[in-house]
Structures are given as C-alpha cells and as structure tokens.
Amino acid sequence: MGDFNWSKQYQTFIGRNDGIITPEQQEKLRKSTACVFGMGGIGSPAFEVLVRAGIGKFKIIDNDVYDASNMNRQIFANIDTIGKKKVLVAKEFAKKINPEIKIECYERIEEENINKIISEADVILLAIDELKPCVIISRAARKMKIPVVEGWALPFGNVRTFTQDTPQLEEAYGLQTLGKEISNFSDEELRRMGTELLFGLGKIEGIADFYSDEVIEGVARGIIPSFAPMAWLTSVLMANEALKILLNIGCIAKGPDFTMYDPYMHRIPSIGR
C-alpha cells in the first residue's frame, strides 16, 4: 500500500481499507489528529470507528467514570469497566487495536486549557450535552479554524458541522451567550438554556412522538433517555463526517441545519424552526 514508512503491524491493520480509500489518503489519516469531547453513548462509538480507520493521534476528553446505567449504549461500558475512568478505558481499548496510536487524555474543559487541548487538532467531535463546555469548545475552534462535528442522541441519525463558512454554534441555537463572556452566566442560567436547547430539538418532524409527557418532565430535570441504536447511528454519521473532512471528500453537512435520517419511517424529516 504505497511507499510510506508504515510498520508491518499498521499496514496489516489497515489493509482492508485499501480500495475504499487510497494509500495517500490512509497516510493522511495516520498523520491526522482528532479531538473527541465525550466518551459516552455517542463519543465512544465514534472514537472506535476513527481508531479503526487508522487515525494516528487523538485527544479525548471526559471527566466521568463508568457505571451500570451506561451499559445499555456506551460501547466501552461493561462489568469490568464499572468505576473506571472513561478516557483511560477508551485509551486502553484503542491501544489494543493500534499499539502505535498516540492518545492524550483530559478531564477538564475550561477557557484556560481549551487552546492546549485542541492545538494540533484537524477535526473536533462534540459529543457532550453540557452547554458551557460546548460554548467554550466551539468558540476556541472557530478562532483556530478547526471544524466541529456535532450530533445528538435523538431517535433519528443526525450530524452537522460548524466551520468558518457557517454560523456559529451559539447562533444556530439562538443562545443568549452569543457575544458575551461565558462567566457572565450562572450555572443555573446555563442549565436552563441547555434544557431549552433540548426542547428545541423537539421541533424536528416526528421527534416529539417518541417522548411521553412523563419523559419530557424527566428531561426538564436532567434525566435524558438514550438507546443504543439511536446513539450509535449518530456516532457513525459523526465519525464518517470527520473522515470526509480530513480527506476532503464528499459533501459536508454544514450547519446551521442538521443532516438527518429517520430510520423508523425511512425518510428525511423536516427540521422545523
């Protein structure tokens, strides 16, 4: 597969990629760096897909540990990993696929460390549902001209990408934080905005049909249901979008609208506004 300085292990590992992508494209992936924010239901499957694609370096971020409630959808969650840090479990798993992979682990996302985290990144995957870090990440990424791929654990597969050519993430959601210091907002204000953001996704055609009044009340309290098929479908769409960005192929799902697929009715739903 080309005249590249690949170890025998790497060449064997990515051998079946040949024919779908070229050796030159594979080398581009090997030299690329991806940041994955969140090792939960969406972030961890996306991370595994990108590891198996042969990306050479990652920065992964999560401050949580696995518990039993994660096992219905989080790909690295099992009896043996309960109580262990998600980023360390993910790193160990990835090393068993590609021992040559480089992975940096982080647990905090703050204005003071975000530039360090995303430095050298070629693409960012945003797979967290807490508003404040999302704003911090998206602002820093825009300044550093790094594409941000986003998706939500909705019943429908969904993905969109923010670049220099799209509205900002805060514009897309109509957030009150736009143009203001994030420190000006209390945790309660940010939590409220985050809840409103989630309810705004209910405007998408067919989404509200999946949630009873009781579930909606739970979402308002921070109890968000999730299901492996819907999380993983979005994960794969996000990972594929990141690969398209890195290889400069295909059509990117640029924001502010999501590119979305309803697997239950096999349709492209109306986004709604």
Side-chain angles (χ1 to χ4, degrees):
M1 285 188 66
D3 186 22
F4 299 109
N5 187 28
W6 295 347
S7 68
K8 182 178 180 181
Q9 190 278 333
Y10 185 81
Q11 188 164 349
T12 302
F13 150 56
I14 52 80
R16 294 292 287 272
N17 293 352
D18 191 19
I20 301 299
I21 62 174
T22 67
E24 290 75 19
Q25 289 173 321
Q26 187 66 63
E27 176 69 357
K28 179 70 166 61
L29 295 182
R30 190 180 73 88
K31 291 184 174 180
S32 293
T33 299
C35 278
V36 184
F37 286 90
M39 280 291 117
I42 290 180
S44 54
F47 172 64
E48 180 175 346
V49 171
L50 296 177
V51 169
R52 293 188 186 277
I55 288 178
K57 184 174 180 179
F58 289 88
K59 297 186 178 186
I60 58 176
I61 304 91
D62 202 301
N63 66 353
D64 203 0
V65 298
Y66 284 110
D67 63 47
S69 69
N70 300 146
M71 290 197 288
N72 79 316
R73 69 201 183 282
Q74 298 191 19
I75 204 163
F76 305 136
N78 57 58
I79 291 173
D80 294 332
T81 61
I82 289 177
K84 295 182 179 180
K85 291 185 179 295
K86 293 182 179 181
V87 289
L88 298 183
V89 170
K91 180 177 181 178
E92 181 181 3
F93 183 91
K95 285 281 188 179
K96 291 178 181 178
I97 297 169
N98 178 12
E100 300 171 11
I101 204 168
K102 297 177 181 178
I103 301 176
E104 295 179 13
C105 299
Y106 297 86
E107 297 182 23
R108 295 183 302 107
I109 304 167
E110 297 176 349
E111 291 180 288
E112 292 74 20
N113 72 349
I114 188 61
N115 289 343
K116 176 183 177 181
I117 294 175
I118 67 174
S119 65
E120 303 176 2
D122 298 296
V123 67
I124 291 170
L125 282 77
L126 191 57
I128 53 179
D129 54 18
E130 187 179 348
L131 185 58
K132 183 176 180 179
C134 287
V135 171
I136 291 172
I137 294 161
S138 64
R139 288 179 177 181
R142 195 170 187 90
K143 287 181 181 178
M144 299 174 73
K145 299 182 179 180
I146 304 169
V148 176
V149 180
E150 181 193 37
W152 285 89
L154 300 174
F156 304 160
N158 64 95
V159 65
R160 69 177 169 183
T161 298
F162 293 100
T163 70
Q164 298 302 110
D165 302 323
T166 71
Q168 300 179 51
L169 179 145
E170 292 168 85
E171 291 179 90
Y173 286 121
L175 296 178
Q176 300 167 31
T177 57
L178 183 63
K180 301 175 182 177
E181 294 291 333
I182 196 69
S183 58
N184 290 345
F185 297 87
S186 68
D187 289 343
E188 177 56 29
E189 287 175 314
L190 291 168
R191 188 198 67 77
R192 177 182 51 77
M193 280 187 271
T195 301
E196 291 173 354
L197 183 157
L198 287 174
F199 285 136
L201 297 173
K203 296 178 182 178
I204 297 167
E205 180 185 13
I207 290 290
D209 296 340
F210 285 85
Y211 300 103
S212 67
D213 291 343
E214 183 179 0
V215 170
I216 291 173
E217 290 174 4
V219 170
R221 300 193 305 272
I223 304 170
I224 304 172
S226 190
F227 190 42
M230 67 191 208
W232 291 14
L233 178 56
T234 290
S235 296
V236 173
L237 289 174
M238 289 176 63
N240 195 55
E241 198 75 3
L243 293 170
K244 287 158 55 183
I245 290 167
L246 294 174
L247 298 178
N248 192 27
I249 59 175
C251 178
I252 303 303
K254 290 186 177 182
D257 289 333
F258 286 96
T259 293
M260 188 167 292
Y261 171 65
D262 174 357
Y264 299 94
M265 300 302 294
H266 293 299
R267 64 177 177 173
I268 306 300
S270 172
I271 301 301
R273 290 197 178 280

